[in-house]
Amino acid sequence: MTLEELIAELQALIDQYSDGTEPTEEDAARMAELTDEINQRRAAGEQAAQTRAAAVANARAAIDAGRAQRIDSVPLARSANVAGVSGAAYDVTDYDAAERRAWVKNMAERANVQLIGGTALTDAERAAVRHALEQRAEFTITTSNTADVVPVSVQQEIISLIDNSAVLFSDVTRYNMAGQFELVRHKSIKKGDAAATAEGAAPTDIEENEFDHITLTGDEIKKTVEMSRKMATQSLTGFEKYLINEISARLSVACNAKVHANLDSAELGMATANKIQTAKVNVITISDIRKMLSLLKTFNNPASKGVFVYANSDTIWNQIAAIEDSTGRAYFVESENTDDPTIQGRIYGKYVKADDSIADGVIKAGYPDLFCGNMFDGIDITPYIQPRTQKRCFDGYALYDGGLVVPQAFSQLTIKQA
């Protein structure tokens, strides 16, 4: 039994006789036994804590006094007790950086890219790779996830770059669940919205919500980066930067396009009734914008970011920015100082974002929080050499899917054509 379970059992026995009655001999013996066991475990814990505190204090004193020997190639499993080193020792290896270097060298070697300095791994890099593989093996056992050869820091950097260029993809809600992902869609409130009642009275009508459940298995997103054999001579830092920048640039377009495709899907995206056209041919008016915004609903699902308006630059500056009132004053207000370069301005207080994934003459508006996507796997990068051309190729891969949890959370306005 754990210490918490022992304490819980003792407390239960004490509570049993809280009315002042004398405990039975059996219960009294059990309470004495539990008390002794609890005291022994607490004493052992305090002793272990004191021993550890003393060891830490001695190690810190050795480091401060300059007596500890500096080690930079100690395997992680043995870094606390270094064989062959006298006195105290501490490990100063940056294993995250070592893992990144090892990964870049591995990519270069597999794609036959000549790096300045070569591709041979140091002892620290080999130790970092072994440690990363052990950690991922344990993670795989507990979460049924697959092993990933890309360092976590590199994945995060690629995702960060994708978010800076993939407008809608960076706004929507994103999860990282390795297994099955189920989208629960709140389609409508069929009856029973809140209503006033007499004091103390029960509601007169019970709310009925309409939901449907969609299981998402993920769609593969792949983009290839190519480099000629002629340019395949780079430094370690230059090659890593090239891979990260090029893969993120290619995947950002694909990831953003995937969100837009699912947003337009009849099964996963916005409700059909939320897709409207302008009242006039080749002309957009403020009443069209108001109608598009009036269709948006959340059904009380949280959407902290609020409503954003999305369109490409041509539609923003030639259509939306041209909408004026009867006095000739534009409804569109340009943005001057924002941290987000995709924000071009505001209309009716809603931020207008430039998104090149949207076709000319199409405007989308909605709550990006209510589009829930899941990154099942990736970002992964696989190198290979293209036959005949000798091009060095790197396939970027992600397994992603998502959809709107409220179909009315987005609407689309299309400029009617003649």
Side-chain angles (χ1 to χ4, degrees), residues 295-339:
L295 295 171
L296 300 175
K297 294 180 175 62
T298 65
F299 297 135
N300 296 321
N301 288 276
S304 59
K305 292 179 182 175
V307 174
F308 289 155
V309 177
Y310 302 89
N312 67 26
S313 295
D314 180 80
T315 304
I316 291 174
W317 295 109
N318 291 322
Q319 298 288 347
I320 299 176
I323 303 174
E324 298 178 342
D325 62 14
S326 57
T327 66
R329 184 176 59 183
Y331 285 96
F332 179 79
V333 180
E334 294 182 37
S335 292
E336 296 181 356
N337 298 314
T338 65
D339 295 331

mmCIF file of all heavy atoms in Angstrom, residues 295-339:
data_model
loop_
_atom_site.group_PDB
_atom_site.id
_atom_site.type_symbol
_atom_site.label_atom_id
_atom_site.label_comp_id
_atom_site.label_asym_id
_atom_site.label_seq_id
_atom_site.Cartn_x
_atom_site.Cartn_y
_atom_site.Cartn_z
ATOM 1 N N LEU A 295 -24.822 35.585 -40.255
ATOM 2 C CA LEU A 295 -25.033 34.135 -40.316
ATOM 3 C C LEU A 295 -24.197 33.365 -39.295
ATOM 4 O O LEU A 295 -24.432 32.174 -39.084
ATOM 5 C CB LEU A 295 -24.695 33.621 -41.723
ATOM 6 C CG LEU A 295 -25.592 34.123 -42.860
ATOM 7 C CD1 LEU A 295 -25.011 33.703 -44.208
ATOM 8 C CD2 LEU A 295 -27.014 33.592 -42.702
ATOM 9 N N LEU A 296 -23.240 34.038 -38.672
ATOM 10 C CA LEU A 296 -22.304 33.347 -37.781
ATOM 11 C C LEU A 296 -22.938 33.025 -36.434
ATOM 12 O O LEU A 296 -23.600 33.874 -35.823
ATOM 13 C CB LEU A 296 -21.051 34.193 -37.574
ATOM 14 C CG LEU A 296 -20.257 34.523 -38.840
ATOM 15 C CD1 LEU A 296 -19.111 35.462 -38.514
ATOM 16 C CD2 LEU A 296 -19.740 33.246 -39.494
ATOM 17 N N LYS A 297 -22.699 31.798 -35.954
ATOM 18 C CA LYS A 297 -23.200 31.348 -34.654
ATOM 19 C C LYS A 297 -22.131 30.513 -33.952
ATOM 20 O O LYS A 297 -21.304 29.872 -34.610
ATOM 21 C CB LYS A 297 -24.476 30.516 -34.802
ATOM 22 C CG LYS A 297 -25.684 31.281 -35.335
ATOM 23 C CD LYS A 297 -26.896 30.371 -35.443
ATOM 24 C CE LYS A 297 -28.154 31.147 -35.850
ATOM 25 N NZ LYS A 297 -28.012 31.773 -37.180
ATOM 26 N N THR A 298 -22.182 30.513 -32.625
ATOM 27 C CA THR A 298 -21.271 29.675 -31.844
ATOM 28 C C THR A 298 -22.008 28.648 -30.998
ATOM 29 O O THR A 298 -21.405 27.704 -30.509
ATOM 30 C CB THR A 298 -20.419 30.538 -30.898
ATOM 31 O OG1 THR A 298 -21.279 31.153 -29.917
ATOM 32 C CG2 THR A 298 -19.663 31.615 -31.660
ATOM 33 N N PHE A 299 -23.324 28.837 -30.797
ATOM 34 C CA PHE A 299 -24.112 27.982 -29.894
ATOM 35 C C PHE A 299 -23.447 27.886 -28.519
ATOM 36 O O PHE A 299 -23.398 26.834 -27.890
ATOM 37 C CB PHE A 299 -24.329 26.585 -30.481
ATOM 38 C CG PHE A 299 -25.135 26.598 -31.754
ATOM 39 C CD1 PHE A 299 -24.739 25.848 -32.844
ATOM 40 C CD2 PHE A 299 -26.273 27.369 -31.878
ATOM 41 C CE1 PHE A 299 -25.464 25.849 -34.023
ATOM 42 C CE2 PHE A 299 -27.013 27.381 -33.061
ATOM 43 C CZ PHE A 299 -26.611 26.625 -34.131
ATOM 44 N N ASN A 300 -22.875 29.026 -28.088
ATOM 45 C CA ASN A 300 -22.255 29.169 -26.764
ATOM 46 C C ASN A 300 -20.979 28.351 -26.588
ATOM 47 O O ASN A 300 -20.518 28.167 -25.464
ATOM 48 C CB ASN A 300 -23.247 28.824 -25.648
ATOM 49 C CG ASN A 300 -24.416 29.789 -25.606
ATOM 50 O OD1 ASN A 300 -24.238 30.985 -25.811
ATOM 51 N ND2 ASN A 300 -25.611 29.281 -25.357
ATOM 52 N N ASN A 301 -20.411 27.853 -27.692
ATOM 53 C CA ASN A 301 -19.087 27.237 -27.601
ATOM 54 C C ASN A 301 -18.043 28.350 -27.467
ATOM 55 O O ASN A 301 -18.159 29.401 -28.107
ATOM 56 C CB ASN A 301 -18.804 26.401 -28.854
ATOM 57 C CG ASN A 301 -19.619 25.129 -28.896
ATOM 58 O OD1 ASN A 301 -19.248 24.119 -28.308
ATOM 59 N ND2 ASN A 301 -20.765 25.179 -29.577
ATOM 60 N N PRO A 302 -17.000 28.155 -26.647
ATOM 61 C CA PRO A 302 -16.013 29.218 -26.437
ATOM 62 C C PRO A 302 -15.233 29.541 -27.709
ATOM 63 O O PRO A 302 -14.760 28.640 -28.402
ATOM 64 C CB PRO A 302 -15.099 28.646 -25.348
ATOM 65 C CG PRO A 302 -15.276 27.156 -25.421
ATOM 66 C CD PRO A 302 -16.693 26.941 -25.850
ATOM 67 N N ALA A 303 -15.104 30.825 -28.000
ATOM 68 C CA ALA A 303 -14.366 31.291 -29.178
ATOM 69 C C ALA A 303 -13.681 32.602 -28.805
ATOM 70 O O ALA A 303 -14.143 33.688 -29.169
ATOM 71 C CB ALA A 303 -15.295 31.464 -30.367
ATOM 72 N N SER A 304 -12.584 32.490 -28.062
ATOM 73 C CA SER A 304 -11.947 33.667 -27.470
ATOM 74 C C SER A 304 -11.339 34.614 -28.505
ATOM 75 O O SER A 304 -11.220 35.814 -28.256
ATOM 76 C CB SER A 304 -10.857 33.222 -26.483
ATOM 77 O OG SER A 304 -9.880 32.427 -27.148
ATOM 78 N N LYS A 305 -10.941 34.117 -29.665
ATOM 79 C CA LYS A 305 -10.324 34.982 -30.672
ATOM 80 C C LYS A 305 -11.333 35.881 -31.361
ATOM 81 O O LYS A 305 -10.965 36.881 -31.973
ATOM 82 C CB LYS A 305 -9.586 34.142 -31.714
ATOM 83 C CG LYS A 305 -8.358 33.435 -31.192
ATOM 84 C CD LYS A 305 -7.703 32.601 -32.290
ATOM 85 C CE LYS A 305 -6.491 31.845 -31.754
ATOM 86 N NZ LYS A 305 -5.905 30.945 -32.778
ATOM 87 N N GLY A 306 -12.617 35.503 -31.303
ATOM 88 C CA GLY A 306 -13.625 36.281 -31.998
ATOM 89 C C GLY A 306 -13.667 35.970 -33.480
ATOM 90 O O GLY A 306 -13.183 34.939 -33.939
ATOM 91 N N VAL A 307 -14.248 36.899 -34.246
ATOM 92 C CA VAL A 307 -14.453 36.702 -35.686
ATOM 93 C C VAL A 307 -13.328 37.358 -36.470
ATOM 94 O O VAL A 307 -12.957 38.506 -36.208
ATOM 95 C CB VAL A 307 -15.807 37.295 -36.122
ATOM 96 C CG1 VAL A 307 -15.953 37.233 -37.638
ATOM 97 C CG2 VAL A 307 -16.955 36.562 -35.445
ATOM 98 N N PHE A 308 -12.788 36.623 -37.451
ATOM 99 C CA PHE A 308 -11.836 37.174 -38.411
ATOM 100 C C PHE A 308 -12.456 37.097 -39.802
ATOM 101 O O PHE A 308 -13.279 36.216 -40.091
ATOM 102 C CB PHE A 308 -10.520 36.393 -38.421
ATOM 103 C CG PHE A 308 -9.670 36.583 -37.198
ATOM 104 C CD1 PHE A 308 -8.754 35.615 -36.809
ATOM 105 C CD2 PHE A 308 -9.772 37.729 -36.430
ATOM 106 C CE1 PHE A 308 -7.962 35.786 -35.685
ATOM 107 C CE2 PHE A 308 -8.983 37.917 -35.309
ATOM 108 C CZ PHE A 308 -8.083 36.935 -34.933
ATOM 109 N N VAL A 309 -12.046 38.030 -40.671
ATOM 110 C CA VAL A 309 -12.451 38.018 -42.069
ATOM 111 C C VAL A 309 -11.218 37.684 -42.904
ATOM 112 O O VAL A 309 -10.142 38.259 -42.694
ATOM 113 C CB VAL A 309 -13.032 39.382 -42.493
ATOM 114 C CG1 VAL A 309 -13.392 39.378 -43.976
ATOM 115 C CG2 VAL A 309 -14.260 39.718 -41.653
ATOM 116 N N TYR A 310 -11.367 36.747 -43.861
ATOM 117 C CA TYR A 310 -10.245 36.293 -44.673
ATOM 118 C C TYR A 310 -10.551 36.508 -46.162
ATOM 119 O O TYR A 310 -11.657 36.201 -46.638
ATOM 120 C CB TYR A 310 -9.968 34.809 -44.453
ATOM 121 C CG TYR A 310 -9.659 34.417 -43.026
ATOM 122 C CD1 TYR A 310 -10.674 34.067 -42.133
ATOM 123 C CD2 TYR A 310 -8.347 34.401 -42.562
ATOM 124 C CE1 TYR A 310 -10.386 33.712 -40.829
ATOM 125 C CE2 TYR A 310 -8.054 34.045 -41.258
ATOM 126 C CZ TYR A 310 -9.084 33.692 -40.388
ATOM 127 O OH TYR A 310 -8.797 33.347 -39.090
ATOM 128 N N ALA A 311 -9.573 37.022 -46.898
ATOM 129 C CA ALA A 311 -9.677 37.173 -48.352
ATOM 130 C C ALA A 311 -8.269 37.377 -48.884
ATOM 131 O O ALA A 311 -7.338 37.687 -48.123
ATOM 132 C CB ALA A 311 -10.577 38.358 -48.714
ATOM 133 N N ASN A 312 -8.089 37.205 -50.213
ATOM 134 C CA ASN A 312 -6.757 37.469 -50.755
ATOM 135 C C ASN A 312 -6.564 38.971 -50.955
ATOM 136 O O ASN A 312 -7.509 39.764 -50.851
ATOM 137 C CB ASN A 312 -6.501 36.671 -52.031
ATOM 138 C CG ASN A 312 -7.372 37.109 -53.198
ATOM 139 O OD1 ASN A 312 -7.828 38.244 -53.269
ATOM 140 N ND2 ASN A 312 -7.596 36.197 -54.140
ATOM 141 N N SER A 313 -5.344 39.365 -51.243
ATOM 142 C CA SER A 313 -5.017 40.786 -51.310
ATOM 143 C C SER A 313 -5.812 41.507 -52.395
ATOM 144 O O SER A 313 -6.237 42.661 -52.209
ATOM 145 C CB SER A 313 -3.513 40.961 -51.566
ATOM 146 O OG SER A 313 -2.766 40.477 -50.480
ATOM 147 N N ASP A 314 -6.021 40.852 -53.533
ATOM 148 C CA ASP A 314 -6.787 41.471 -54.614
ATOM 149 C C ASP A 314 -8.210 41.796 -54.159
ATOM 150 O O ASP A 314 -8.721 42.895 -54.419
ATOM 151 C CB ASP A 314 -6.821 40.535 -55.823
ATOM 152 C CG ASP A 314 -7.596 41.128 -56.988
ATOM 153 O OD1 ASP A 314 -7.024 41.971 -57.711
ATOM 154 O OD2 ASP A 314 -8.778 40.771 -57.154
ATOM 155 N N THR A 315 -8.863 40.860 -53.488
ATOM 156 C CA THR A 315 -10.234 41.085 -53.028
ATOM 157 C C THR A 315 -10.287 42.140 -51.925
ATOM 158 O O THR A 315 -11.214 42.962 -51.884
ATOM 159 C CB THR A 315 -10.834 39.760 -52.522
ATOM 160 O OG1 THR A 315 -10.763 38.780 -53.560
ATOM 161 C CG2 THR A 315 -12.284 39.938 -52.109
ATOM 162 N N ILE A 316 -9.292 42.127 -51.039
ATOM 163 C CA ILE A 316 -9.282 43.101 -49.940
ATOM 164 C C ILE A 316 -9.181 44.524 -50.481
ATOM 165 O O ILE A 316 -9.982 45.406 -50.142
ATOM 166 C CB ILE A 316 -8.129 42.811 -48.963
ATOM 167 C CG1 ILE A 316 -8.389 41.506 -48.203
ATOM 168 C CG2 ILE A 316 -7.965 43.974 -47.968
ATOM 169 C CD1 ILE A 316 -7.233 41.070 -47.332
ATOM 170 N N TRP A 317 -8.184 44.772 -51.365
ATOM 171 C CA TRP A 317 -7.884 46.153 -51.746
ATOM 172 C C TRP A 317 -8.713 46.643 -52.934
ATOM 173 O O TRP A 317 -8.889 47.862 -53.105
ATOM 174 C CB TRP A 317 -6.392 46.287 -52.052
ATOM 175 C CG TRP A 317 -5.578 46.044 -50.812
ATOM 176 C CD1 TRP A 317 -4.801 44.977 -50.538
ATOM 177 C CD2 TRP A 317 -5.525 46.893 -49.659
ATOM 178 N NE1 TRP A 317 -4.253 45.083 -49.285
ATOM 179 C CE2 TRP A 317 -4.675 46.263 -48.724
ATOM 180 C CE3 TRP A 317 -6.104 48.120 -49.319
ATOM 181 C CZ2 TRP A 317 -4.394 46.807 -47.476
ATOM 182 C CZ3 TRP A 317 -5.829 48.667 -48.076
ATOM 183 C CH2 TRP A 317 -4.977 48.018 -47.167
ATOM 184 N N ASN A 318 -9.255 45.735 -53.734
ATOM 185 C CA ASN A 318 -10.076 46.163 -54.865
ATOM 186 C C ASN A 318 -11.577 46.048 -54.606
ATOM 187 O O ASN A 318 -12.368 46.629 -55.369
ATOM 188 C CB ASN A 318 -9.728 45.361 -56.120
ATOM 189 C CG ASN A 318 -8.350 45.687 -56.642
ATOM 190 O OD1 ASN A 318 -7.921 46.841 -56.618
ATOM 191 N ND2 ASN A 318 -7.631 44.671 -57.109
ATOM 192 N N GLN A 319 -11.951 45.308 -53.562
ATOM 193 C CA GLN A 319 -13.371 45.110 -53.294
ATOM 194 C C GLN A 319 -13.766 45.609 -51.901
ATOM 195 O O GLN A 319 -14.532 46.553 -51.771
ATOM 196 C CB GLN A 319 -13.742 43.622 -53.456
ATOM 197 C CG GLN A 319 -13.531 43.061 -54.859
ATOM 198 C CD GLN A 319 -14.551 43.561 -55.861
ATOM 199 O OE1 GLN A 319 -15.566 44.141 -55.486
ATOM 200 N NE2 GLN A 319 -14.283 43.349 -57.141
ATOM 201 N N ILE A 320 -13.193 44.974 -50.854
ATOM 202 C CA ILE A 320 -13.598 45.324 -49.492
ATOM 203 C C ILE A 320 -13.232 46.769 -49.160
ATOM 204 O O ILE A 320 -14.041 47.530 -48.603
ATOM 205 C CB ILE A 320 -12.953 44.358 -48.477
ATOM 206 C CG1 ILE A 320 -13.413 42.917 -48.738
ATOM 207 C CG2 ILE A 320 -13.302 44.777 -47.054
ATOM 208 C CD1 ILE A 320 -12.756 41.878 -47.842
ATOM 209 N N ALA A 321 -12.000 47.176 -49.504
ATOM 210 C CA ALA A 321 -11.562 48.536 -49.177
ATOM 211 C C ALA A 321 -12.317 49.595 -49.967
ATOM 212 O O ALA A 321 -12.280 50.781 -49.610
ATOM 213 C CB ALA A 321 -10.059 48.668 -49.436
ATOM 214 N N ALA A 322 -13.009 49.187 -51.033
ATOM 215 C CA ALA A 322 -13.733 50.150 -51.869
ATOM 216 C C ALA A 322 -15.165 50.388 -51.408
ATOM 217 O O ALA A 322 -15.866 51.242 -51.980
ATOM 218 C CB ALA A 322 -13.725 49.669 -53.323
ATOM 219 N N ILE A 323 -15.624 49.671 -50.392
ATOM 220 C CA ILE A 323 -17.005 49.846 -49.922
ATOM 221 C C ILE A 323 -17.104 51.176 -49.167
ATOM 222 O O ILE A 323 -16.369 51.411 -48.211
ATOM 223 C CB ILE A 323 -17.432 48.689 -49.012
ATOM 224 C CG1 ILE A 323 -17.273 47.342 -49.738
ATOM 225 C CG2 ILE A 323 -18.871 48.863 -48.560
ATOM 226 C CD1 ILE A 323 -17.535 46.137 -48.849
ATOM 227 N N GLU A 324 -18.021 52.041 -49.579
ATOM 228 C CA GLU A 324 -18.161 53.360 -48.971
ATOM 229 C C GLU A 324 -19.608 53.609 -48.562
ATOM 230 O O GLU A 324 -20.548 53.008 -49.099
ATOM 231 C CB GLU A 324 -17.719 54.450 -49.958
ATOM 232 C CG GLU A 324 -16.260 54.354 -50.375
ATOM 233 C CD GLU A 324 -15.881 55.421 -51.384
ATOM 234 O OE1 GLU A 324 -16.807 56.008 -52.006
ATOM 235 O OE2 GLU A 324 -14.675 55.685 -51.555
ATOM 236 N N ASP A 325 -19.787 54.539 -47.601
ATOM 237 C CA ASP A 325 -21.140 54.949 -47.210
ATOM 238 C C ASP A 325 -21.613 56.071 -48.141
ATOM 239 O O ASP A 325 -20.940 56.433 -49.106
ATOM 240 C CB ASP A 325 -21.181 55.356 -45.745
ATOM 241 C CG ASP A 325 -20.286 56.551 -45.437
ATOM 242 O OD1 ASP A 325 -19.846 57.231 -46.388
ATOM 243 O OD2 ASP A 325 -20.038 56.814 -44.242
ATOM 244 N N SER A 326 -22.777 56.648 -47.832
ATOM 245 C CA SER A 326 -23.368 57.663 -48.715
ATOM 246 C C SER A 326 -22.545 58.936 -48.796
ATOM 247 O O SER A 326 -22.694 59.730 -49.734
ATOM 248 C CB SER A 326 -24.783 57.997 -48.234
ATOM 249 O OG SER A 326 -24.749 58.447 -46.878
ATOM 250 N N THR A 327 -21.655 59.134 -47.820
ATOM 251 C CA THR A 327 -20.813 60.340 -47.820
ATOM 252 C C THR A 327 -19.455 60.101 -48.466
ATOM 253 O O THR A 327 -18.613 60.996 -48.492
ATOM 254 C CB THR A 327 -20.615 60.848 -46.377
ATOM 255 O OG1 THR A 327 -19.853 59.872 -45.650
ATOM 256 C CG2 THR A 327 -21.950 61.087 -45.689
ATOM 257 N N GLY A 328 -19.227 58.882 -48.947
ATOM 258 C CA GLY A 328 -17.952 58.568 -49.572
ATOM 259 C C GLY A 328 -16.886 58.103 -48.598
ATOM 260 O O GLY A 328 -15.716 57.968 -48.972
ATOM 261 N N ARG A 329 -17.274 57.832 -47.351
ATOM 262 C CA ARG A 329 -16.309 57.379 -46.346
ATOM 263 C C ARG A 329 -16.222 55.856 -46.375
ATOM 264 O O ARG A 329 -17.240 55.159 -46.389
ATOM 265 C CB ARG A 329 -16.723 57.856 -44.959
ATOM 266 C CG ARG A 329 -15.731 57.503 -43.860
ATOM 267 C CD ARG A 329 -16.177 58.089 -42.540
ATOM 268 N NE ARG A 329 -17.496 57.583 -42.160
ATOM 269 C CZ ARG A 329 -18.151 57.978 -41.067
ATOM 270 N NH1 ARG A 329 -17.617 58.904 -40.290
ATOM 271 N NH2 ARG A 329 -19.337 57.474 -40.797
ATOM 272 N N ALA A 330 -15.004 55.321 -46.386
ATOM 273 C CA ALA A 330 -14.803 53.872 -46.470
ATOM 274 C C ALA A 330 -15.158 53.201 -45.153
ATOM 275 O O ALA A 330 -14.845 53.716 -44.067
ATOM 276 C CB ALA A 330 -13.370 53.563 -46.860
ATOM 277 N N TYR A 331 -15.805 52.042 -45.229
ATOM 278 C CA TYR A 331 -16.074 51.238 -44.034
ATOM 279 C C TYR A 331 -14.820 50.510 -43.573
ATOM 280 O O TYR A 331 -14.676 50.179 -42.404
ATOM 281 C CB TYR A 331 -17.174 50.216 -44.324
ATOM 282 C CG TYR A 331 -18.559 50.800 -44.389
ATOM 283 C CD1 TYR A 331 -19.125 51.149 -45.621
ATOM 284 C CD2 TYR A 331 -19.304 51.005 -43.241
ATOM 285 C CE1 TYR A 331 -20.401 51.674 -45.697
ATOM 286 C CE2 TYR A 331 -20.589 51.536 -43.315
ATOM 287 C CZ TYR A 331 -21.125 51.874 -44.538
ATOM 288 O OH TYR A 331 -22.389 52.412 -44.596
ATOM 289 N N PHE A 332 -13.924 50.259 -44.509
ATOM 290 C CA PHE A 332 -12.694 49.540 -44.207
ATOM 291 C C PHE A 332 -11.677 50.504 -43.601
ATOM 292 O O PHE A 332 -11.426 51.586 -44.149
ATOM 293 C CB PHE A 332 -12.131 48.914 -45.487
ATOM 294 C CG PHE A 332 -10.846 48.161 -45.320
ATOM 295 C CD1 PHE A 332 -10.842 46.875 -44.812
ATOM 296 C CD2 PHE A 332 -9.631 48.735 -45.671
ATOM 297 C CE1 PHE A 332 -9.658 46.159 -44.673
ATOM 298 C CE2 PHE A 332 -8.438 48.041 -45.525
ATOM 299 C CZ PHE A 332 -8.461 46.745 -45.026
ATOM 300 N N VAL A 333 -11.085 50.104 -42.475
ATOM 301 C CA VAL A 333 -10.084 50.921 -41.794
ATOM 302 C C VAL A 333 -8.759 50.188 -41.846
ATOM 303 O O VAL A 333 -8.632 49.078 -41.337
ATOM 304 C CB VAL A 333 -10.480 51.194 -40.321
ATOM 305 C CG1 VAL A 333 -9.410 52.041 -39.637
ATOM 306 C CG2 VAL A 333 -11.838 51.866 -40.248
ATOM 307 N N GLU A 334 -7.769 50.808 -42.460
ATOM 308 C CA GLU A 334 -6.455 50.175 -42.585
ATOM 309 C C GLU A 334 -5.776 50.047 -41.218
ATOM 310 O O GLU A 334 -5.928 50.911 -40.354
ATOM 311 C CB GLU A 334 -5.555 50.991 -43.504
ATOM 312 C CG GLU A 334 -6.030 51.035 -44.941
ATOM 313 C CD GLU A 334 -5.076 51.823 -45.815
ATOM 314 O OE1 GLU A 334 -3.856 51.728 -45.580
ATOM 315 O OE2 GLU A 334 -5.549 52.540 -46.712
ATOM 316 N N SER A 335 -5.018 48.948 -41.051
ATOM 317 C CA SER A 335 -4.251 48.742 -39.823
ATOM 318 C C SER A 335 -2.838 49.243 -40.031
ATOM 319 O O SER A 335 -2.218 48.980 -41.061
ATOM 320 C CB SER A 335 -4.222 47.260 -39.436
ATOM 321 O OG SER A 335 -5.499 46.829 -39.055
ATOM 322 N N GLU A 336 -2.325 49.960 -39.045
ATOM 323 C CA GLU A 336 -0.978 50.509 -39.145
ATOM 324 C C GLU A 336 0.003 49.772 -38.245
ATOM 325 O O GLU A 336 1.086 49.401 -38.673
ATOM 326 C CB GLU A 336 -0.992 51.997 -38.782
ATOM 327 C CG GLU A 336 -1.810 52.837 -39.759
ATOM 328 C CD GLU A 336 -1.795 54.308 -39.388
ATOM 329 O OE1 GLU A 336 -1.207 54.640 -38.344
ATOM 330 O OE2 GLU A 336 -2.385 55.116 -40.132
ATOM 331 N N ASN A 337 -0.373 49.538 -36.990
ATOM 332 C CA ASN A 337 0.552 48.941 -36.034
ATOM 333 C C ASN A 337 -0.055 47.670 -35.449
ATOM 334 O O ASN A 337 -0.857 47.713 -34.522
ATOM 335 C CB ASN A 337 0.870 49.935 -34.902
ATOM 336 C CG ASN A 337 1.548 51.181 -35.425
ATOM 337 O OD1 ASN A 337 2.465 51.104 -36.220
ATOM 338 N ND2 ASN A 337 1.083 52.335 -34.970
ATOM 339 N N THR A 338 0.307 46.523 -36.027
ATOM 340 C CA THR A 338 -0.112 45.230 -35.484
ATOM 341 C C THR A 338 1.077 44.288 -35.509
ATOM 342 O O THR A 338 1.988 44.423 -36.327
ATOM 343 C CB THR A 338 -1.264 44.596 -36.294
ATOM 344 O OG1 THR A 338 -0.795 44.298 -37.613
ATOM 345 C CG2 THR A 338 -2.460 45.523 -36.380
ATOM 346 N N ASP A 339 1.059 43.311 -34.594
ATOM 347 C CA ASP A 339 2.123 42.303 -34.563
ATOM 348 C C ASP A 339 1.936 41.250 -35.640
ATOM 349 O O ASP A 339 2.845 40.470 -35.918
ATOM 350 C CB ASP A 339 2.164 41.627 -33.181
ATOM 351 C CG ASP A 339 2.558 42.584 -32.080
ATOM 352 O OD1 ASP A 339 3.300 43.543 -32.385
ATOM 353 O OD2 ASP A 339 2.118 42.387 -30.925
#
